[in-house]
Amino acid sequence: MVAFHQAKPNCWFVVLVALVSAAPAPQITSIVTASPDACAQISPATASFLAQNPSATPTIAASLAHDCLQSVPNKPEPAKKLVNSLQAFVQWQSTLAWLKNPPSSYTLPATDIVGRLSNISATSASGRFASEYDFQLAIFETFTSAHDGHFAFRPDIFKAFGFRNALASDIVSVSSDGKAVPKLYHRADLNSTTTASAITKINGRDAAAFIEELNLRFSSFQDPDSQWNSMFQTYATPGTALTVAASLAFQGKSVTLTYENGQERTEESFAVLRAGVDFAGIQSGEDFYNRFCNPDAASAPTTTVVTSTTATARSTSTVVATLSPTIRGYPSPIIRDSGSDSTSGYFLNGTGYEDVAVLAVSSFSNGANVGTLEYLTNFQSTVEGFLSQSKIAGKRRLIVDLTANGGGFVVAGYELFAQLFPDVEMFQANNLRLADSLVNIARIVDSLPANFNVSTPAQLLAVQALSSSAIISNIIPGGVFRPEGSQFNSVEDILAPVSLQGDLFTAYQATPLNETSAEFNLTGTGTRSNPPPAVFAPENVVLLTDGTCGSTCTLFSYLMILGLNIKTTAVGGRPIAGPMQSIAGVEGAQVFELGDISNVASAVIELGPEVRKAELQNGELGILAEGYAIARATDPRSPGAVNGKNQFASMDAQTPLQFLMQPANCRFFYTAEMLTRPELVWQRVVDATWTDPEAMCVAGSRIVTNESQALDPLFRLSSEPPAVNAESGASGLTRAISLTNMLVLLATVLFSFC
Ligand SMILES: *[C@@H]1O[C@H](CO)[C@@H](O)[C@H](O)[C@H]1NC(C)=O
Ligand SMILES: *[C@@H]1O[C@H](CO)[C@@H](O)[C@H](O)[C@H]1NC(C)=O
Ligand SMILES: *[C@@H]1O[C@H](CO)[C@@H](O)[C@H](O)[C@H]1NC(C)=O
Ligand SMILES: *[C@@H]1O[C@H](CO)[C@@H](O)[C@H](O)[C@H]1NC(C)=O
Ligand SMILES: *[C@@H]1O[C@H](CO)[C@@H](O)[C@H](O)[C@H]1NC(C)=O
Ligand SMILES: *[C@@H]1O[C@H](CO)[C@@H](O)[C@H](O)[C@H]1NC(C)=O
Ligand SMILES: *[C@@H]1O[C@H](CO)[C@@H](O)[C@H](O)[C@H]1NC(C)=O
């Protein structure tokens, strides 16, 4: 049985852009000074907007929306309950200890997540938050301070509005020649015949410093250059905009830009009402609270805790009816996917590039119109077709374009590597933080009798929750094995604590990649046991990234970089010379959705021993099962997540990859032309990687890497008893639970607060 786990694509940014692009030029209806009845003005303002623009998405002045938010009272009791609930989920975040005390290789500030949340609770208890908005913004910023695309919580105050500024919405960062440090321009100006004037200041501050400071508060990427790139549009990120142009958080009532030629322009910011939001009858901040922040209020739309939305088996074979031969923003491919718009292959044109093939993989997941299994099967055949065409055409060099790739299905990352280098073993070493609730769950699941009989509907639901969970296979023998290949003999083997950075973790573990299934076999297994040999030699392959490579993209890239010393070239980054990291999205190995954790907690309370029920219910498992934080999310079906598993390199069992520096071998900047012509980026990659790096790479950006393949002895637990019957320690129920952990989706969307 194969379980397909799917994170809901839920980047608010996408939502906001979709709303706004459907609307006419925003008309600010009224500018109101801060007043306690600001919320009362929203319904009339919306009505008058709609009277003028009946089919448009209503917008109001950003300052009016902010005044309304600031009038919503912070209520100490539910606030305390919300933070308590979050603290229980946060225990599952694998990186807490390193975030609190990061190594020098980590470029961002330390953050004590648990301490900050406690402080927020104390501040609320003593009535020192001016509003519910300030309280929830503090929570939100606590999550983003981890700069981890798998770690997110979006609370309910953000249900109502998205803040936008049109003037700042099309800013791009481009260099005159790919080597000179970039400047900021309006994208539209770059097309005009008059010379565009660069933007030097935003709201009176140095523009680059302004952007970097906002990124430190709101970005989910883990270094300043990937954060920078995540702000700007390119061929791979068409919908992107600066935080000041699109955010769930208020970013000021207007934006003022100063240009190199001395000009200055100011434009009011506005708020869009998010889909389904109804302000009718809201007369005060109290009313706002009751409608949007009180899951118990009779008037609130019922937001019950999710039951099984975390593991949605999508229907297969819903291929889009009319498939465009090209992917928007890209040239004519030699091969493309069946509608996900994420995988395509190209042969470069032009003298000096005749032997170069490009595989562009902007994501490891399916689009809205393509089912999971269809995506995986088609990804496999697209890569296969690309490689065989490359071989027939005599291509010798390969660029893998990973720009904007924030991850997707883990198995897709392994599949790509398995086809590129079928003879190379795939190293994996991950671990989970030993939260008390995780240990309890593992032991209760382990204790269920082999001949467990489901006798009530509640038990049936509980068994279903366990078997569709993305978590359970990580804590049972057979679901995972040791990095050097031997089996765990018992659940206690997995839970045997490993102490790192003053915190406790499971044993290092790897996911089986050799299982076969009726639905999908990874290249190298089952019916795909004898794949064709590698088409490209490692020294003829380069990874192109913009630093935002995250999640599954990092699993794939590290196999290439650390395993085979594959070169990397990075594009973009802050307007300074020098090196840039190639891999700086979230480098965790798996995301656990809050709903999944909550469902599993409920299930083990239901299935656990009757005598322990009250005790479990009153402890941390009970808090998780109740899932109050989920009911307090902007979207309870997609409340947020934690990074469930750390990922380690073979030579370092001490520090997760998330906290290590991975410099690219060379870096260049986007030119204006490159933003719409990826083939120019690819040609530059060839020049910068092989032809003339000295001339083509940014000053100081050429870094020689020689990746050691040594295995940290900590991964080699030779003292362990030899593996006996692989599943002797696993009960009947655990064996019945799907062991196929490969198809787990890492966050496709880095939960960006855009
Ligand atoms: C606690 O919160 C207050 C108010 O937000 C802040 O000034 C203080 O620095 C915080 N302390 C810690 C340890 O985070
Ligand atoms: C600018 O030019 C490019 C390529 O010529 C085109 O794709 C793009 O739509 C233009 N943008 C604007 C804002 O006119
Ligand atoms: C190469 O040239 C062909 C023919 O003009 C064109 O269709 C294709 O898009 C070009 N490919 C690239 C990668 O530029
Ligand atoms: C489950 O039911 C079967 C058949 O009624 C019985 O033999 C078995 O003992 C039961 N298992 C448990 C754990 O009660
Ligand atoms: C899969 O690989 C693991 C780890 O090397 C090994 O323990 C297990 O026996 C293998 N399973 C199969 C079916 O080959
Ligand atoms: C995977 O391989 C197994 C064993 O060879 C085979 O039974 C199964 O049908 C294969 N699955 C697919 C999708 O081809
Ligand atoms: C890379 O490192 C290995 C081991 O440290 C060494 O043997 C090898 O010569 C180095 N290669 C290069 C190109 O420096």
Side-chain angles (χ1 to χ4, degrees):
M1 180 194 158
V2 177
F4 299 106
H5 300 288
Q6 172 100 51
K8 292 268 174 304
N10 50 6
C11 180
W12 296 115
F13 176 72
V14 176
V15 176
L16 292 175
V17 168
L19 281 174
V20 168
S21 55
Q27 300 181 2
I28 309 303
T29 45
S30 60
I31 307 295
V32 195
T33 49
S35 76
D37 69 341
C39 290
Q41 299 175 42
I42 289 175
S43 191
T46 307
S48 85
F49 178 96
L50 284 173
Q52 289 164 39
N53 317 277
S55 59
T57 303
T59 66
I60 56 168
S63 51
L64 175 59
H66 185 239
D67 286 350
C68 170
L69 292 172
Q70 284 298 0
S71 73
V72 180
N74 175 235
K75 297 181 186 261
E77 272 313 305
K80 181 178 171 197
K81 191 172 176 189
L82 174 56
V83 174
N84 276 353
S85 179
L86 287 171
Q87 291 281 32
F89 286 104
V90 159
Q91 294 303 306
W92 290 59
Q93 172 66 21
S94 68
T95 58
L96 296 176
W98 290 278
L99 285 171
K100 193 171 173 181
N101 185 14
S104 59
S105 50
Y106 183 68
T107 56
L108 298 174
T111 181
D112 174 3
I113 301 291
V114 172
R116 279 177 73 158
L117 286 174
S118 304
N119 192 20
I120 288 169
S121 198
T123 304
S124 170
S126 60
R128 282 180 291 137
F129 279 114
S131 65
E132 179 70 7
Y133 176 77
D134 284 0
F135 163 71
Q136 294 201 18
L137 186 62
I139 291 176
F140 185 85
E141 290 194 40
T142 299
F143 276 77
T144 47
S145 72
H147 303 294
D148 177 333
H150 286 165
F151 187 55
F153 175 66
R154 293 165 299 274
D156 49 20
I157 196 87
F158 299 109
K159 274 178 181 169
F161 306 117
F163 291 94
R164 296 273 299 174
N165 182 281
L167 177 64
S169 67
D170 78 332
I171 296 176
V172 292
S173 170
V174 298
S175 158
S176 55
D177 61 0
K179 239 180 136 172
V181 293
K183 292 181 177 181
L184 303 173
Y185 298 92
H186 290 290
R187 191 168 189 170
D189 287 356
L190 293 172
N191 282 16
S192 68
T193 45
T194 57
T195 320
S197 186
I199 296 157
T200 54
K201 291 182 179 173
I202 302 177
N203 293 348
R205 308 260 330 282
D206 174 75
F210 179 90
I211 291 167
E212 287 173 44
E213 276 169 32
L214 271 188
N215 286 343
L216 277 183
R217 288 178 59 199
F218 294 113
S219 177
S220 59
F221 295 92
Q222 58 93 304
D223 98 348
D225 291 305
S226 59
Q227 293 182 349
W228 179 269
N229 278 346
S230 72
M231 292 287 107
F232 301 104
Q233 298 173 12
T234 71
Y235 61 89
T237 56
T240 308
L242 290 177
T243 303
V244 78
S247 174
L248 283 181
F250 177 65
Q251 302 292 342
K253 64 193 281 277
S254 62
V255 171
T256 298
L257 302 180
T258 309
Y259 300 85
E260 217 166 39
N261 62 10
Q263 263 196 337
E264 200 174 276
R265 285 165 77 189
T266 297
E267 205 170 292
E268 294 291 330
S269 299
F270 59 99
V272 289
L273 263 61
R274 300 190 53 226
V277 165
D278 179 13
F279 265 83
I282 293 185
Q283 296 296 328
S284 64
E286 185 74 32
D287 289 347
F288 183 112
Y289 189 100
N290 279 321
R291 180 151 313 163
F292 299 115
C293 307
N294 182 0
D296 302 326
S299 63
T302 42
T303 46
T304 46
V305 174
V306 255
T307 47
S308 63
T309 51
T310 50
T312 320
R314 292 224 210 150
S315 68
T316 57
S317 75
T318 37
V319 185
V320 278
T322 50
L323 185 65
S324 158
T326 59
I327 292 179
R328 210 173 127 225
Y330 290 77
S332 266
I334 58 152
I335 191 164
R336 61 152 299 166
D337 59 35
S338 65
S340 298
D341 287 351
S342 54
T343 312
S344 50
Y346 306 85
F347 292 160
L348 287 193
N349 297 319
T351 311
Y353 308 104
E354 299 89 344
D355 65 345
V356 182
V358 179
L359 184 66
V361 187
S362 60
S363 154
F364 283 108
S365 70
N366 47 338
N369 299 315
V370 178
T372 298
L373 189 56
E374 159 66 18
Y375 164 73
L376 290 173
T377 307
N378 177 257
F379 179 76
Q380 185 167 64
S381 63
T382 305
V383 171
E384 193 167 50
F386 168 77
L387 289 173
S388 88
Q389 286 192 50
S390 296
K391 190 180 166 77
I392 290 164
K395 300 298 169 187
R396 216 173 50 82
R397 292 183 288 178
L398 171 68
I399 298 169
V400 184
D401 181 347
L402 297 168
T403 53
N405 189 323
F409 291 98
V410 175
V411 72
Y414 290 128
E415 173 63 28
L416 178 54
F417 185 81
Q419 286 201 38
L420 288 173
F421 298 106
D423 300 326
V424 179
E425 278 208 17
M426 298 190 251
F427 178 81
Q428 306 174 64
N430 308 316
N431 65 16
L432 290 77
R433 183 169 189 274
L434 282 181
D436 292 346
S437 49
L438 178 133
V439 173
N440 257 324
I441 286 168
R443 292 199 170 129
I444 292 170
V445 168
D446 189 37
S447 70
L448 296 173
N451 55 355
F452 183 84
N453 294 322
V454 171
S455 54
T456 65
Q459 285 184 347
L460 181 62
L461 277 177
V463 169
Q464 282 168 349
L466 292 184
S467 55
S468 64
S469 167
I471 296 166
I472 298 298
S473 61
N474 294 300
I475 49 179
I476 56 175
V480 284
F481 57 91
R482 293 186 193 278
E484 48 16 297
S486 67
Q487 293 283 350
F488 290 109
N489 294 322
S490 66
V491 167
E492 292 306 323
D493 270 4
I494 297 174
L495 299 179
V498 172
S499 172
L500 297 171
Q501 194 77 356
D503 204 357
L504 295 180
F505 300 87
T506 64
Y508 298 102
Q509 55 168 245
T511 301
L513 300 175
N514 52 7
E515 288 186 359
T516 62
S517 90
E519 282 111 338
F520 182 83
N521 289 329
L522 196 64
T523 291
T525 64
T527 40
R528 296 183 62 85
S529 286
N530 296 301
V535 173
F536 297 99
E539 64 272 22
N540 292 335
V541 179
V542 62
L543 302 183
L544 166 66
T545 81
D546 58 2
T548 68
C549 175
S551 207
T552 297
C553 182
T554 73
L555 298 176
F556 165 74
S557 298
Y558 281 126
L559 291 171
M560 301 281 280
I561 298 168
L562 304 179
L564 290 165
N565 229 344
I566 300 280
K567 288 177 274 296
T568 56
T569 292
V571 58
R574 288 171 297 169
I576 51 170
M580 179 175 141
Q581 289 202 71
S582 55
I583 311 295
V586 53
E587 299 173 49
Q590 194 178 337
V591 65
F592 292 167
E593 292 186 72
L594 303 188
D596 195 2
I597 295 174
S598 180
N599 290 338
V600 166
S602 304
V604 297
I605 293 174
E606 179 62 36
L607 299 173
E610 201 56 43
V611 291
R612 289 191 64 198
K613 227 167 216 172
E615 167 223 326
L616 296 174
Q617 193 72 60
N618 293 329
E620 201 160 84
L621 278 184
I623 296 174
L624 294 172
E626 183 186 5
Y628 183 67
I630 295 171
R632 294 294 311 271
T634 52
D635 179 0
R637 289 163 307 171
S638 178
V642 297
N643 185 64
K645 286 158 71 178
N646 291 313
Q647 179 189 187
F648 293 87
S650 63
M651 63 286 208
D652 187 349
Q654 297 283 339
T655 307
L657 280 161
Q658 171 82 357
F659 297 91
L660 297 177
M661 172 71 65
Q662 189 59 52
N665 299 114
C666 160
R667 164 207 206 177
F668 62 87
F669 294 115
Y670 289 104
T671 62
E673 298 72 36
M674 288 178 188
L675 298 181
T676 48
R677 296 183 60 199
E679 64 275 21
L680 299 181
V681 173
W682 301 331
Q683 289 181 341
R684 179 80 175 219
V685 171
V686 173
D687 299 342
T689 305
W690 290 292
T691 315
D692 192 353
E694 191 52 39
M696 294 292 160
C697 302
V698 166
S701 74
R702 294 184 61 204
I703 303 290
V704 178
T705 50
N706 180 11
E707 304 295 352
S708 153
Q709 290 166 43
L711 187 69
D712 188 318
L714 279 179
F715 289 129
R716 232 193 287 273
L717 290 169
S718 46
S719 59
E720 287 306 316
V724 287
N725 180 356
E727 288 174 347
S728 62
S731 70
L733 181 65
T734 55
R735 250 175 285 134
I737 290 168
S738 165
L739 299 184
T740 307
N741 192 31
M742 307 192 304
L743 300 173
V744 170
L745 183 72
L746 292 186
T748 46
V749 177
L750 299 159
F751 296 104
S752 44
F753 191 60
C754 11

